[in-house]
Amino acid sequence: MRQRQDRAGCTVSDFSGFILVDVVFASLRASGTYTDTFTLTFPKGNFIPNYEGYETNDGVGRTRYHLAVVKNKATGPLDAMAALSVWTGKPAGANTTCSGTHTLSYTATTTISVLNASTWPTRGFWIRNRTRNDLRYIDYRSGNVLYAKPVLWAVLPFKNGQTAITPGMTITTASTDNAVVDQVTVTSGSWTAGTAAGELRLKKLVGTWSLDSPIRVEGVQYAQAAAAAVRGFRGFTAQSWGNGDVLETASDLDLGINVPSGGFFKDPAVDTLAPDGIEFKLCQSQEEAAIIDSLMGGETVGIWVRQNILDGTQARTEIEGDLNITWF
């Protein structure tokens, strides 16, 4: 608790997200209407780890998951810790704007011209189009020209799943469309009953999938498309970019919150499998941070970090992997 005197001589206490004001009648001004402004300063900090470079990138591309745990170490069960927000670091660099029009290419590296990228990294970094709410991965830049990787990742909803689809499988339609499965999420039904439904996260997508198209593995139908595949990185929908769009550097990481069930966190078999039921999003500023509610004494909460490594990315040190926190 912090106490201080305001201009009216009142004692002000800062108490875990709200303030208490004790009014001393003799200190009030005799007449008129007055406004007092209180500026509260909240403690900030950083969690580790800080990931150095891309781990185990052998050219095939993958998604990796890491768990950080926050605990209220108070011994009294009713000794609550204030709620906090968590966001990731990102590469340094001032925002800029798109010059000209950038039309998506799904098959080859494309160029994006910007007004001024002099403060940005030179290779291997993500950017976000704030105007279109979309992400691209920049292989390298030459001055103000960015060379973006093609959008070969996508999300494919599926239904009528009758044989289990697993990460690493190559799937095909009835034609030449094909992709490699990165993650599988089953939201309803079961494989054994032939009713499994959910979502496939794909990489190396060639062509597309339309509604009701078969999803085959080595010529055998495993499931059926519940909707068309949607291209995009990390949960964003790929779009064409236009002149004047506001661009910024973006974090390599996404965050998801895991409240333990029965004292246990999600426990995927390997770090390239998604923890079941965790929703991830880009959280790279305090304004779009993930929120963790107040923890009572002894309680814990997990922060899952998703690291997206595209096919054939160049090595890069000093990945901005810090988790920034502030209490409120």
Side-chain angles (χ1 to χ4, degrees):
M1 181 179 71
R2 295 190 296 260
Q3 291 188 332
R4 59 186 182 279
Q5 297 290 316
D6 75 352
R7 293 197 303 270
C10 303
T11 300
V12 179
S13 303
D14 185 352
F15 246 139
S16 183
F18 58 91
I19 59 176
L20 301 176
V21 179
D22 297 324
V23 178
V24 180
F25 180 79
S27 299
L28 297 177
R29 283 168 281 202
S31 62
T33 300
Y34 301 92
T35 300
D36 287 322
T37 301
F38 307 105
T39 301
L40 305 180
T41 301
F42 304 116
K44 296 183 178 180
N46 297 92
F47 289 132
I48 55 174
N50 186 335
Y51 304 107
E52 284 288 330
Y54 285 125
E55 302 173 25
T56 64
N57 180 23
D58 49 14
V60 300
R62 57 171 48 80
T63 308
R64 304 192 71 211
Y65 299 89
H66 312 266
L67 176 65
V69 177
V70 179
K71 181 178 181 179
N72 180 353
K73 297 181 68 175
T75 56
L78 299 181
D79 192 356
M81 181 180 79
L84 60 119
S85 56
V86 185
W87 67 98
T88 62
K90 67 171 188 172
N95 290 6
T96 188
T97 56
C98 194
S99 300
T101 300
H102 165 57
T103 303
L104 285 175
S105 170
Y106 298 135
T107 58
T109 297
T110 55
T111 58
I112 304 172
S113 296
V114 300
L115 183 64
N116 183 6
S118 60
T119 59
W120 286 11
T122 56
R123 66 176 187 175
F125 61 100
W126 291 91
I127 62 172
R128 176 166 63 168
N129 185 322
R130 292 193 65 91
T131 306
R132 313 270 176 174
N133 197 30
D134 190 14
L135 288 180
R136 289 291 178 278
Y137 187 86
I138 305 304
D139 220 8
Y140 64 98
R141 74 171 177 89
S142 178
N144 293 325
V145 179
L146 314 177
Y147 293 82
K149 279 189 171 295
V151 185
L152 301 180
W153 288 56
V155 170
L156 175 63
F158 72 90
K159 62 183 178 179
N160 301 329
Q162 52 193 322
T163 304
I165 301 171
T166 58
M169 284 183 169
T170 296
I171 59 173
T172 62
T173 62
S175 60
T176 59
D177 302 334
N178 62 85
V180 176
V181 177
D182 179 70
Q183 304 290 329
V184 181
T185 302
V186 176
T187 55
S188 65
S190 69
W191 299 110
T192 54
T195 58
E199 190 174 86
L200 303 179
R201 194 168 187 241
L202 307 178
K203 58 187 178 183
K204 297 188 176 182
L205 174 61
V206 175
T208 186
W209 258 267
S210 58
L211 174 64
D212 293 332
S213 294
I215 300 173
R216 297 176 173 176
V217 178
E218 297 182 349
V220 178
Q221 182 165 327
Y222 278 35
Q224 194 174 20
V230 178
R231 289 183 185 263
F233 292 124
R234 299 165 58 179
F236 290 81
T237 300
Q239 303 178 50
S240 295
W241 296 8
N243 186 46
D245 289 356
V246 177
L247 309 181
E248 66 176 352
T249 59
S251 172
D252 292 80
L253 310 173
D254 301 318
L255 299 182
I257 302 302
N258 181 186
V259 177
S261 175
F264 294 96
F265 295 103
K266 303 296 183 179
D267 187 22
V270 294
D271 66 356
T272 54
L273 292 180
D276 178 55
I278 303 300
E279 181 181 355
F280 288 89
K281 66 176 184 175
L282 181 66
C283 305
Q284 62 176 37
S285 68
Q286 188 170 354
E287 291 70 29
E288 55 188 0
I291 304 300
I292 296 176
D293 291 332
S294 177
L295 298 176
M296 305 306 290
E299 287 187 337
T300 60
V301 68
I303 304 171
W304 280 99
V305 177
R306 183 173 70 184
Q307 186 179 20
N308 301 269
I309 307 171
L310 301 189
D311 303 353
T313 52
Q314 301 184 56
R316 189 182 110 223
T317 60
E318 299 177 355
I319 296 294
E320 296 292 337
D322 283 355
L323 302 183
N324 306 297
I325 59 173
T326 184
W327 284 268
F328 61 93

